[in-house]
């Protein structure tokens, strides 16, 4: 072996071997080719030891077992010109892990902290697993989330220990389970308090040694699972059915491949199953989706560390008590997140009834979390206890951060900020959740505009991860850092953006939404538009999205953007006509689709066809190919995104792309809107824009794009 510091160490105590992974210089343990080779050497030596009672595999990290394979190495593998390399690494990992089952004594993986991906596969290759009950302990196989499948035995050993249904659920969703659940499903022998973990593992070795039951266990796990054809068909149908509701097979093939591998291997011995798994993973490694998903994995972490706007190194104020003003849809959802994360929140609205309704809404959010096992009943009570509903604005004196979320009227907001300026403490940072009003204009009403900025959450705020931090002309770096830091502590990802109409995300989303309405006016059917957008990978189509957002809200937002970018945008007549006809979307069951009360699945409505035909006058309805529709929708979006980069509304392509991924669900398998542009190539994008330019200046190629096209440049130089 080389002189590189070793990651694995082997000690012996009382005839028990203890193999510890502690990757030098890293916060968490990961596996890579070198660490697999080191492990192989240790396992070879151990295989010759007939004097030992057992092996414990432990981690030297305080709160982590093994966080999976080192994804940087995976990324290099994707770039490798040698296509056999992925196959060799998969084969080698499988081979080395198989050696646990050849040791002349039982092995136990002792898990505290995350044991995920390759880390859990290693633990599964041991005869037994035991884990701590601590909250940091998570066991899972998240490979499908980066576009691959578990390739070191995960698809084979997890079904053998946890059952085929549960294993498929875990593999296809990529979700981890905690220690208690792991014990309940048989994934671990037991889950115990962290303090007694090693002692319990030693006791486990004694128990299984008594009647040598570990040998029988090994034999069982090496054999086929053995399901009848009926059982198998049922389990696979359920897994595929659930999967189809969540992800599209064409965009995210990995979880479907995993189901197929399990289907084909349940009745095979382990060794044959491993060969099938290996054969299935190789084409996925380095496939376009896996490349982009791994890119997104790293981009997410980079943006999480640095929100942009030059504030990465700026220390924000310490926020201990928060006030939220306006307990409507947004104010209550935001308060629910803050209180759950431990902040005392003073929640202010005009009267008691409104506040009572807000508390009901917040508790309903908590109830859903509790039903999903993500919030305990005592945590729910504690969180509610942190909220102080108030009608008197004076109460915000106690806060060191105030978020305004009242109705979207500039004068009402300015009036509130004037009053707040007399009440708040001198170091208090103020923010507005406005989605359409200029932060620099609102700042005119704030006594200390340097302590004021935008903090724009997305609806539903309890779920959406993006928070736009809007930099007004006078906002100080410290105020921006305070907001970004707070957003992060709420589990959100902040991105600093400039103060323009629509800020970043809505400014890019609205031209796409409007293009959909222009196409509708031309006669393209609503369901074709929605289908094309979904096939591109959007979570829902733009017409349905109008109904979900509310047509009155969409109309209002469009007017704001048209006022700012009227040179290229206009409010489509159909939007005005729909709102005038009282069709507001899902909220009154009548939008571009018609809804049965309580339902969110819309039906085609001939009434809308009539309205559209009327607007078209005598013109025939256009019939456009899916291809043209996709071009028009996403080029409209892309052109506006490039203009945002040109105007430095956002730091760079990566921040822009991540904001769209987290804010509107832009498809992750494409890596981002500007990654998509890079895949097409700037010259192709410019040529396509020119083709559509006769439709209006919205398709005029932005200068930056033309420059990239001329110089063969890209938004992401590294590819
Ligand atoms: P909402 O109408 O549900 O709630 C507004 C609340 O503010 C009401 O409860 C109202 O009684 C209260 N309020 C009005 N004037 C007040 C005052 N002077 N003092 C105290 N409370 C007052 O509105 P929603 O949807 O929650 O929006 C609030 C803000 O969030 C707006 O600025 C909106 O643009 C923004 N926003 C809305 C999003 C959405 O999808 N609904 C998304 C992102 C931002």
């Amino acid at each position: 072996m080389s002189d590189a510091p070793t990651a694995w160490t082997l000690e012996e105590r009382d005839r028990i071997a203890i193999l510890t992974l502690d990757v030098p210089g890293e916060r968490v343990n990961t596996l890579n080719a070198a660490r697999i080779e080191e492990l192989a050497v240790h396992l070879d030596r151990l295989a010759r030891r007939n004097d030992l009672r057992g092996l414990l595999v432990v981690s030297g990290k305080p709160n982590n077992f093994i966080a999976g394979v080192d994804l940087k190495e995976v990324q290099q593998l994707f770039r490798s010109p040698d296509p056999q390399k992925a196959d060799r690494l998969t084969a080698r990992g499988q081979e080395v892990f198989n050696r646990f089952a050849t040791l002349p004594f039982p092995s136990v993986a002792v898990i505290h902290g995350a044991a995920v991906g390759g880390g859990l596969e290693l633990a599964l290759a041991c005869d037994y697993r035991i884990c701590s009950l601590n909250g940091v302990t998570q066991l899972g196989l998240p490979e499908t989330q980066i576009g691959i499948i578990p390739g070191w035995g995960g698809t084979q050993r997890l079904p053998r220990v946890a059952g085929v249904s549960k294993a498929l659920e875990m593999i296809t969703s990529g979700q981890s389970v905690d220690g208690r659940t792991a014990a309940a499903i048989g994934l671990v022998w037991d889950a115990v308090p962290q303090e007694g973990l090693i002692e319990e593992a030693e006791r486990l070795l004694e128990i299984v040694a008594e009647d040598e039951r570990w040998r029988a266990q090994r034999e069982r796990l090496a054999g086929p699972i053995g399901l009848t054809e009926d059982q198998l068909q049922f389990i696979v149908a359920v897994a595929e059915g659930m999967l189809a509701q969540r992800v599209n097979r064409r965009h995210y093939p990995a979880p479907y491949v995993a189901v197929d591998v399990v289907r084909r291997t349940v009745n095979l011995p382990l060794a044959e199953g491993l060969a099938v798994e290996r054969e299935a993973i190789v084409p996925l490694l380095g496939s376009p989706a896996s490349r982009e998903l791994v890119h997104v994995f790293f981009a997410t972490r980079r943006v999480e560390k640095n929100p942009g706007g030059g504030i990465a190194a700026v220390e924000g104020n310490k926020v201990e008590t928060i006030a939220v003003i306006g307990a409507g849809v947004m104010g209550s959802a935001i308060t629910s997140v803050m209180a759950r994360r431990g902040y005392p929140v003073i929640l202010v609205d005009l009267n008691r009834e409104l506040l009572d309704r807000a508390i009901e809404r917040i508790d309903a959010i908590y109830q859903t979390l509790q039903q999903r096992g993500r919030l305990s009943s005592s945590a729910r009570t504690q969180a509610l206890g942190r909220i102080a509903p108030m009608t008197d604005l004076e109460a915000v004196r106690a806060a060191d951060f105030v978020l305004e979320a009242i109705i979207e009227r500039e004068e009402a907001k300015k009036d509130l900020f004037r009053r707040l300026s007399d009440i708040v403490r001198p170091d208090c940072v103020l923010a507005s959740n406005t989605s359409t009003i200029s932060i620099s204009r609102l700042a005119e009403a704030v006594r200390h505009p340097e302590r004021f900025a935008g903090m724009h959450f997305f609806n539903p705020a309890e779920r959406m991860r993006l928070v736009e931090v809007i930099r007004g002309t006078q906002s100080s770096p410290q105020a921006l850092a305070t907001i970004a830091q707070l957003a992060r502590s709420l589990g959100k990802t902040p991105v600093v953006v400039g103060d323009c109409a629509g800020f970043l995300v809505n400014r890019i989303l609205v031209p796409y939404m409007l293009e959909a309405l222009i196409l509708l006016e031309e006669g393209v059917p609503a369901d074709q538009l929605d289908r094309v957008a979904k096939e591109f990978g959007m979570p829902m189509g733009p017409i349905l999205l109008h109904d979900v957002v509310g047509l009155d809200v969409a109309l209002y937002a469009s007017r704001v953007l048209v006022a700012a970018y009227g040179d290229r945008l206009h409010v489509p007549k159909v939007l005005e006509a729909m709102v005038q006809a009282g069709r507001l979307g899902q909220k009154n069951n009548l939008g571009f689709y018609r809804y049965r009360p309580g339902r969110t699945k819309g039906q085609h409505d001939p009434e809308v066809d009539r309205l559209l035909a009327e607007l078209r006058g005598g013109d025939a309805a256009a019939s456009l190919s899916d291809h043209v529709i996709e071009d028009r929708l996403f080029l409209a979006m892309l052109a506006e995104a490039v203009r945002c980069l040109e105007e430095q509304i956002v730091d760079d392509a990566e921040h822009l792309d991540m904001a769209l991924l987290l804010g509107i669900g832009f498809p992750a398998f494409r890596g981002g809107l500007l990654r998509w542009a890079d895949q097409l190539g700037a010259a192709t994008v410019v040529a396509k824009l020119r083709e559509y330019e006769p439709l209006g200046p919205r398709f005029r190629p932005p200068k930056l794009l033309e420059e990239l096209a001329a110089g063969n440049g890209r938004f992401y130089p590294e590819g």
Side-chain angles (χ1 to χ4, degrees), residues 144-147 252 288-298 668-669 671:
T144 56
Q145 291 184 346
I146 53 160
Y252 299 95
S290 72
R291 278 167 191 260
E292 292 310 324
L293 291 168
V294 171
H295 162 80
V296 166
F297 174 88
F298 285 116
F669 76 92

mmCIF file with all atom_site columns, all heavy atoms in Angstrom, residues 144-147 252 288-298 668-669 671:
data_model
loop_
_atom_site.group_PDB
_atom_site.id
_atom_site.type_symbol
_atom_site.label_atom_id
_atom_site.label_alt_id
_atom_site.label_comp_id
_atom_site.label_asym_id
_atom_site.label_entity_id
_atom_site.label_seq_id
_atom_site.pdbx_PDB_ins_code
_atom_site.Cartn_x
_atom_site.Cartn_y
_atom_site.Cartn_z
_atom_site.occupancy
_atom_site.B_iso_or_equiv
_atom_site.pdbx_formal_charge
_atom_site.auth_seq_id
_atom_site.auth_comp_id
_atom_site.auth_asym_id
_atom_site.auth_atom_id
_atom_site.pdbx_PDB_model_num
ATOM 1   N N   . THR A 1 144 ? -30.668 6.149  -6.091  1.00 0.00 ? 144 THR A N   1
ATOM 2   C CA  . THR A 1 144 ? -31.550 6.514  -7.214  1.00 0.00 ? 144 THR A CA  1
ATOM 3   C C   . THR A 1 144 ? -31.712 8.031  -7.321  1.00 0.00 ? 144 THR A C   1
ATOM 4   O O   . THR A 1 144 ? -32.040 8.539  -8.381  1.00 0.00 ? 144 THR A O   1
ATOM 5   C CB  . THR A 1 144 ? -32.943 5.857  -7.093  1.00 0.00 ? 144 THR A CB  1
ATOM 6   O OG1 . THR A 1 144 ? -33.517 6.206  -5.839  1.00 0.00 ? 144 THR A OG1 1
ATOM 7   C CG2 . THR A 1 144 ? -32.859 4.352  -7.219  1.00 0.00 ? 144 THR A CG2 1
ATOM 8   N N   . GLN A 1 145 ? -31.463 8.737  -6.210  1.00 0.00 ? 145 GLN A N   1
ATOM 9   C CA  . GLN A 1 145 ? -31.583 10.195 -6.282  1.00 0.00 ? 145 GLN A CA  1
ATOM 10  C C   . GLN A 1 145 ? -30.456 10.824 -7.095  1.00 0.00 ? 145 GLN A C   1
ATOM 11  O O   . GLN A 1 145 ? -30.557 11.975 -7.484  1.00 0.00 ? 145 GLN A O   1
ATOM 12  C CB  . GLN A 1 145 ? -31.622 10.792 -4.876  1.00 0.00 ? 145 GLN A CB  1
ATOM 13  C CG  . GLN A 1 145 ? -32.919 10.431 -4.172  1.00 0.00 ? 145 GLN A CG  1
ATOM 14  C CD  . GLN A 1 145 ? -33.063 11.061 -2.803  1.00 0.00 ? 145 GLN A CD  1
ATOM 15  O OE1 . GLN A 1 145 ? -32.108 11.579 -2.240  1.00 0.00 ? 145 GLN A OE1 1
ATOM 16  N NE2 . GLN A 1 145 ? -34.252 11.007 -2.260  1.00 0.00 ? 145 GLN A NE2 1
ATOM 17  N N   . ILE A 1 146 ? -29.370 10.099 -7.300  1.00 0.00 ? 146 ILE A N   1
ATOM 18  C CA  . ILE A 1 146 ? -28.340 10.628 -8.204  1.00 0.00 ? 146 ILE A CA  1
ATOM 19  C C   . ILE A 1 146 ? -28.309 9.825  -9.501  1.00 0.00 ? 146 ILE A C   1
ATOM 20  O O   . ILE A 1 146 ? -27.299 9.779  -10.204 1.00 0.00 ? 146 ILE A O   1
ATOM 21  C CB  . ILE A 1 146 ? -26.938 10.700 -7.545  1.00 0.00 ? 146 ILE A CB  1
ATOM 22  C CG1 . ILE A 1 146 ? -26.528 9.360  -6.946  1.00 0.00 ? 146 ILE A CG1 1
ATOM 23  C CG2 . ILE A 1 146 ? -26.870 11.812 -6.529  1.00 0.00 ? 146 ILE A CG2 1
ATOM 24  C CD1 . ILE A 1 146 ? -25.036 9.218  -6.737  1.00 0.00 ? 146 ILE A CD1 1
ATOM 25  N N   . GLY A 1 147 ? -29.417 9.200  -9.814  1.00 0.00 ? 147 GLY A N   1
ATOM 26  C CA  . GLY A 1 147 ? -29.564 8.591  -11.135 1.00 0.00 ? 147 GLY A CA  1
ATOM 27  C C   . GLY A 1 147 ? -28.911 7.239  -11.319 1.00 0.00 ? 147 GLY A C   1
ATOM 28  O O   . GLY A 1 147 ? -28.771 6.776  -12.449 1.00 0.00 ? 147 GLY A O   1
ATOM 29  N N   . TYR A 1 252 ? -36.150 9.758  -15.181 1.00 0.00 ? 252 TYR A N   1
ATOM 30  C CA  . TYR A 1 252 ? -35.473 9.187  -14.010 1.00 0.00 ? 252 TYR A CA  1
ATOM 31  C C   . TYR A 1 252 ? -35.552 7.661  -14.088 1.00 0.00 ? 252 TYR A C   1
ATOM 32  O O   . TYR A 1 252 ? -36.338 7.033  -13.377 1.00 0.00 ? 252 TYR A O   1
ATOM 33  C CB  . TYR A 1 252 ? -36.126 9.687  -12.713 1.00 0.00 ? 252 TYR A CB  1
ATOM 34  C CG  . TYR A 1 252 ? -36.058 11.194 -12.540 1.00 0.00 ? 252 TYR A CG  1
ATOM 35  C CD1 . TYR A 1 252 ? -37.108 12.012 -12.935 1.00 0.00 ? 252 TYR A CD1 1
ATOM 36  C CD2 . TYR A 1 252 ? -34.924 11.793 -11.984 1.00 0.00 ? 252 TYR A CD2 1
ATOM 37  C CE1 . TYR A 1 252 ? -37.046 13.392 -12.787 1.00 0.00 ? 252 TYR A CE1 1
ATOM 38  C CE2 . TYR A 1 252 ? -34.860 13.171 -11.835 1.00 0.00 ? 252 TYR A CE2 1
ATOM 39  C CZ  . TYR A 1 252 ? -35.918 13.964 -12.244 1.00 0.00 ? 252 TYR A CZ  1
ATOM 40  O OH  . TYR A 1 252 ? -35.846 15.324 -12.091 1.00 0.00 ? 252 TYR A OH  1
ATOM 41  N N   . PRO A 1 288 ? -26.634 10.702 -18.932 1.00 0.00 ? 288 PRO A N   1
ATOM 42  C CA  . PRO A 1 288 ? -26.872 12.150 -18.804 1.00 0.00 ? 288 PRO A CA  1
ATOM 43  C C   . PRO A 1 288 ? -27.584 12.506 -17.492 1.00 0.00 ? 288 PRO A C   1
ATOM 44  O O   . PRO A 1 288 ? -27.201 13.450 -16.811 1.00 0.00 ? 288 PRO A O   1
ATOM 45  C CB  . PRO A 1 288 ? -27.736 12.471 -20.016 1.00 0.00 ? 288 PRO A CB  1
ATOM 46  C CG  . PRO A 1 288 ? -27.406 11.409 -21.012 1.00 0.00 ? 288 PRO A CG  1
ATOM 47  C CD  . PRO A 1 288 ? -27.070 10.177 -20.228 1.00 0.00 ? 288 PRO A CD  1
ATOM 48  N N   . ALA A 1 289 ? -28.607 11.715 -17.112 1.00 0.00 ? 289 ALA A N   1
ATOM 49  C CA  . ALA A 1 289 ? -29.345 12.061 -15.881 1.00 0.00 ? 289 ALA A CA  1
ATOM 50  C C   . ALA A 1 289 ? -28.429 11.959 -14.665 1.00 0.00 ? 289 ALA A C   1
ATOM 51  O O   . ALA A 1 289 ? -28.439 12.840 -13.802 1.00 0.00 ? 289 ALA A O   1
ATOM 52  C CB  . ALA A 1 289 ? -30.550 11.148 -15.719 1.00 0.00 ? 289 ALA A CB  1
ATOM 53  N N   . SER A 1 290 ? -27.609 10.908 -14.592 1.00 0.00 ? 290 SER A N   1
ATOM 54  C CA  . SER A 1 290 ? -26.771 10.761 -13.391 1.00 0.00 ? 290 SER A CA  1
ATOM 55  C C   . SER A 1 290 ? -25.722 11.868 -13.330 1.00 0.00 ? 290 SER A C   1
ATOM 56  O O   . SER A 1 290 ? -25.434 12.402 -12.266 1.00 0.00 ? 290 SER A O   1
ATOM 57  C CB  . SER A 1 290 ? -26.128 9.376  -13.333 1.00 0.00 ? 290 SER A CB  1
ATOM 58  O OG  . SER A 1 290 ? -25.111 9.262  -14.293 1.00 0.00 ? 290 SER A OG  1
ATOM 59  N N   . ARG A 1 291 ? -25.191 12.254 -14.479 1.00 0.00 ? 291 ARG A N   1
ATOM 60  C CA  . ARG A 1 291 ? -24.217 13.361 -14.483 1.00 0.00 ? 291 ARG A CA  1
ATOM 61  C C   . ARG A 1 291 ? -24.848 14.629 -13.924 1.00 0.00 ? 291 ARG A C   1
ATOM 62  O O   . ARG A 1 291 ? -24.274 15.328 -13.093 1.00 0.00 ? 291 ARG A O   1
ATOM 63  C CB  . ARG A 1 291 ? -23.766 13.689 -15.910 1.00 0.00 ? 291 ARG A CB  1
ATOM 64  C CG  . ARG A 1 291 ? -22.698 12.796 -16.425 1.00 0.00 ? 291 ARG A CG  1
ATOM 65  C CD  . ARG A 1 291 ? -22.557 13.003 -17.925 1.00 0.00 ? 291 ARG A CD  1
ATOM 66  N NE  . ARG A 1 291 ? -21.723 11.963 -18.452 1.00 0.00 ? 291 ARG A NE  1
ATOM 67  C CZ  . ARG A 1 291 ? -20.433 12.114 -18.738 1.00 0.00 ? 291 ARG A CZ  1
ATOM 68  N NH1 . ARG A 1 291 ? -19.852 13.270 -18.578 1.00 0.00 ? 291 ARG A NH1 1
ATOM 69  N NH2 . ARG A 1 291 ? -19.720 11.120 -19.193 1.00 0.00 ? 291 ARG A NH2 1
ATOM 70  N N   . GLU A 1 292 ? -26.053 14.938 -14.416 1.00 0.00 ? 292 GLU A N   1
ATOM 71  C CA  . GLU A 1 292 ? -26.700 16.178 -13.989 1.00 0.00 ? 292 GLU A CA  1
ATOM 72  C C   . GLU A 1 292 ? -27.117 16.100 -12.518 1.00 0.00 ? 292 GLU A C   1
ATOM 73  O O   . GLU A 1 292 ? -27.009 17.073 -11.789 1.00 0.00 ? 292 GLU A O   1
ATOM 74  C CB  . GLU A 1 292 ? -27.907 16.498 -14.878 1.00 0.00 ? 292 GLU A CB  1
ATOM 75  C CG  . GLU A 1 292 ? -27.537 16.865 -16.311 1.00 0.00 ? 292 GLU A CG  1
ATOM 76  C CD  . GLU A 1 292 ? -26.461 17.935 -16.420 1.00 0.00 ? 292 GLU A CD  1
ATOM 77  O OE1 . GLU A 1 292 ? -26.440 18.861 -15.594 1.00 0.00 ? 292 GLU A OE1 1
ATOM 78  O OE2 . GLU A 1 292 ? -25.609 17.824 -17.330 1.00 0.00 ? 292 GLU A OE2 1
ATOM 79  N N   . LEU A 1 293 ? -27.586 14.939 -12.084 1.00 0.00 ? 293 LEU A N   1
ATOM 80  C CA  . LEU A 1 293 ? -28.027 14.825 -10.693 1.00 0.00 ? 293 LEU A CA  1
ATOM 81  C C   . LEU A 1 293 ? -26.838 14.921 -9.732  1.00 0.00 ? 293 LEU A C   1
ATOM 82  O O   . LEU A 1 293 ? -26.953 15.515 -8.659  1.00 0.00 ? 293 LEU A O   1
ATOM 83  C CB  . LEU A 1 293 ? -28.815 13.526 -10.480 1.00 0.00 ? 293 LEU A CB  1
ATOM 84  C CG  . LEU A 1 293 ? -30.189 13.515 -11.176 1.00 0.00 ? 293 LEU A CG  1
ATOM 85  C CD1 . LEU A 1 293 ? -30.796 12.117 -11.187 1.00 0.00 ? 293 LEU A CD1 1
ATOM 86  C CD2 . LEU A 1 293 ? -31.163 14.486 -10.515 1.00 0.00 ? 293 LEU A CD2 1
ATOM 87  N N   . VAL A 1 294 ? -25.692 14.369 -10.134 1.00 0.00 ? 294 VAL A N   1
ATOM 88  C CA  . VAL A 1 294 ? -24.507 14.520 -9.280  1.00 0.00 ? 294 VAL A CA  1
ATOM 89  C C   . VAL A 1 294 ? -24.051 15.982 -9.292  1.00 0.00 ? 294 VAL A C   1
ATOM 90  O O   . VAL A 1 294 ? -23.686 16.544 -8.263  1.00 0.00 ? 294 VAL A O   1
ATOM 91  C CB  . VAL A 1 294 ? -23.362 13.565 -9.720  1.00 0.00 ? 294 VAL A CB  1
ATOM 92  C CG1 . VAL A 1 294 ? -22.074 13.876 -8.982  1.00 0.00 ? 294 VAL A CG1 1
ATOM 93  C CG2 . VAL A 1 294 ? -23.767 12.116 -9.461  1.00 0.00 ? 294 VAL A CG2 1
ATOM 94  N N   . HIS A 1 295 ? -24.133 16.607 -10.468 1.00 0.00 ? 295 HIS A N   1
ATOM 95  C CA  . HIS A 1 295 ? -23.812 18.036 -10.537 1.00 0.00 ? 295 HIS A CA  1
ATOM 96  C C   . HIS A 1 295 ? -24.715 18.815 -9.578  1.00 0.00 ? 295 HIS A C   1
ATOM 97  O O   . HIS A 1 295 ? -24.248 19.665 -8.820  1.00 0.00 ? 295 HIS A O   1
ATOM 98  C CB  . HIS A 1 295 ? -23.990 18.570 -11.965 1.00 0.00 ? 295 HIS A CB  1
ATOM 99  C CG  . HIS A 1 295 ? -24.095 20.065 -12.010 1.00 0.00 ? 295 HIS A CG  1
ATOM 100 N ND1 . HIS A 1 295 ? -22.998 20.887 -11.943 1.00 0.00 ? 295 HIS A ND1 1
ATOM 101 C CD2 . HIS A 1 295 ? -25.187 20.875 -12.032 1.00 0.00 ? 295 HIS A CD2 1
ATOM 102 C CE1 . HIS A 1 295 ? -23.415 22.144 -11.929 1.00 0.00 ? 295 HIS A CE1 1
ATOM 103 N NE2 . HIS A 1 295 ? -24.724 22.169 -11.983 1.00 0.00 ? 295 HIS A NE2 1
ATOM 104 N N   . VAL A 1 296 ? -26.015 18.517 -9.606  1.00 0.00 ? 296 VAL A N   1
ATOM 105 C CA  . VAL A 1 296 ? -26.971 19.223 -8.734  1.00 0.00 ? 296 VAL A CA  1
ATOM 106 C C   . VAL A 1 296 ? -26.632 18.974 -7.259  1.00 0.00 ? 296 VAL A C   1
ATOM 107 O O   . VAL A 1 296 ? -26.730 19.881 -6.429  1.00 0.00 ? 296 VAL A O   1
ATOM 108 C CB  . VAL A 1 296 ? -28.429 18.791 -9.053  1.00 0.00 ? 296 VAL A CB  1
ATOM 109 C CG1 . VAL A 1 296 ? -29.396 19.236 -7.966  1.00 0.00 ? 296 VAL A CG1 1
ATOM 110 C CG2 . VAL A 1 296 ? -28.860 19.356 -10.408 1.00 0.00 ? 296 VAL A CG2 1
ATOM 111 N N   . PHE A 1 297 ? -26.199 17.762 -6.959  1.00 0.00 ? 297 PHE A N   1
ATOM 112 C CA  . PHE A 1 297 ? -25.806 17.448 -5.573  1.00 0.00 ? 297 PHE A CA  1
ATOM 113 C C   . PHE A 1 297 ? -24.718 18.421 -5.107  1.00 0.00 ? 297 PHE A C   1
ATOM 114 O O   . PHE A 1 297 ? -24.814 19.024 -4.043  1.00 0.00 ? 297 PHE A O   1
ATOM 115 C CB  . PHE A 1 297 ? -25.308 15.999 -5.511  1.00 0.00 ? 297 PHE A CB  1
ATOM 116 C CG  . PHE A 1 297 ? -24.744 15.605 -4.174  1.00 0.00 ? 297 PHE A CG  1
ATOM 117 C CD1 . PHE A 1 297 ? -25.577 15.095 -3.184  1.00 0.00 ? 297 PHE A CD1 1
ATOM 118 C CD2 . PHE A 1 297 ? -23.385 15.748 -3.902  1.00 0.00 ? 297 PHE A CD2 1
ATOM 119 C CE1 . PHE A 1 297 ? -25.060 14.745 -1.943  1.00 0.00 ? 297 PHE A CE1 1
ATOM 120 C CE2 . PHE A 1 297 ? -22.866 15.401 -2.660  1.00 0.00 ? 297 PHE A CE2 1
ATOM 121 C CZ  . PHE A 1 297 ? -23.709 14.895 -1.676  1.00 0.00 ? 297 PHE A CZ  1
ATOM 122 N N   . PHE A 1 298 ? -23.690 18.595 -5.926  1.00 0.00 ? 298 PHE A N   1
ATOM 123 C CA  . PHE A 1 298 ? -22.590 19.499 -5.528  1.00 0.00 ? 298 PHE A CA  1
ATOM 124 C C   . PHE A 1 298 ? -23.029 20.970 -5.582  1.00 0.00 ? 298 PHE A C   1
ATOM 125 O O   . PHE A 1 298 ? -22.676 21.756 -4.715  1.00 0.00 ? 298 PHE A O   1
ATOM 126 C CB  . PHE A 1 298 ? -21.363 19.287 -6.409  1.00 0.00 ? 298 PHE A CB  1
ATOM 127 C CG  . PHE A 1 298 ? -20.629 18.012 -6.072  1.00 0.00 ? 298 PHE A CG  1
ATOM 128 C CD1 . PHE A 1 298 ? -20.525 16.983 -6.985  1.00 0.00 ? 298 PHE A CD1 1
ATOM 129 C CD2 . PHE A 1 298 ? -20.046 17.844 -4.822  1.00 0.00 ? 298 PHE A CD2 1
ATOM 130 C CE1 . PHE A 1 298 ? -19.855 15.802 -6.662  1.00 0.00 ? 298 PHE A CE1 1
ATOM 131 C CE2 . PHE A 1 298 ? -19.376 16.668 -4.486  1.00 0.00 ? 298 PHE A CE2 1
ATOM 132 C CZ  . PHE A 1 298 ? -19.284 15.650 -5.413  1.00 0.00 ? 298 PHE A CZ  1
ATOM 133 N N   . ALA A 1 668 ? -34.534 18.528 -12.097 1.00 0.00 ? 668 ALA A N   1
ATOM 134 C CA  . ALA A 1 668 ? -33.158 18.311 -11.638 1.00 0.00 ? 668 ALA A CA  1
ATOM 135 C C   . ALA A 1 668 ? -32.355 17.467 -12.622 1.00 0.00 ? 668 ALA A C   1
ATOM 136 O O   . ALA A 1 668 ? -31.153 17.657 -12.764 1.00 0.00 ? 668 ALA A O   1
ATOM 137 C CB  . ALA A 1 668 ? -33.174 17.645 -10.259 1.00 0.00 ? 668 ALA A CB  1
ATOM 138 N N   . PHE A 1 669 ? -33.013 16.545 -13.330 1.00 0.00 ? 669 PHE A N   1
ATOM 139 C CA  . PHE A 1 669 ? -32.232 15.676 -14.223 1.00 0.00 ? 669 PHE A CA  1
ATOM 140 C C   . PHE A 1 669 ? -31.643 16.465 -15.394 1.00 0.00 ? 669 PHE A C   1
ATOM 141 O O   . PHE A 1 669 ? -30.769 15.989 -16.096 1.00 0.00 ? 669 PHE A O   1
ATOM 142 C CB  . PHE A 1 669 ? -33.089 14.502 -14.738 1.00 0.00 ? 669 PHE A CB  1
ATOM 143 C CG  . PHE A 1 669 ? -34.057 14.889 -15.809 1.00 0.00 ? 669 PHE A CG  1
ATOM 144 C CD1 . PHE A 1 669 ? -33.703 14.788 -17.144 1.00 0.00 ? 669 PHE A CD1 1
ATOM 145 C CD2 . PHE A 1 669 ? -35.323 15.366 -15.490 1.00 0.00 ? 669 PHE A CD2 1
ATOM 146 C CE1 . PHE A 1 669 ? -34.597 15.167 -18.139 1.00 0.00 ? 669 PHE A CE1 1
ATOM 147 C CE2 . PHE A 1 669 ? -36.213 15.745 -16.477 1.00 0.00 ? 669 PHE A CE2 1
ATOM 148 C CZ  . PHE A 1 669 ? -35.852 15.645 -17.801 1.00 0.00 ? 669 PHE A CZ  1
ATOM 149 N N   . GLY A 1 671 ? -30.249 19.380 -14.748 1.00 0.00 ? 671 GLY A N   1
ATOM 150 C CA  . GLY A 1 671 ? -29.159 20.122 -14.111 1.00 0.00 ? 671 GLY A CA  1
ATOM 151 C C   . GLY A 1 671 ? -29.482 21.587 -13.873 1.00 0.00 ? 671 GLY A C   1
ATOM 152 O O   . GLY A 1 671 ? -28.909 22.219 -13.014 1.00 0.00 ? 671 GLY A O   1
#
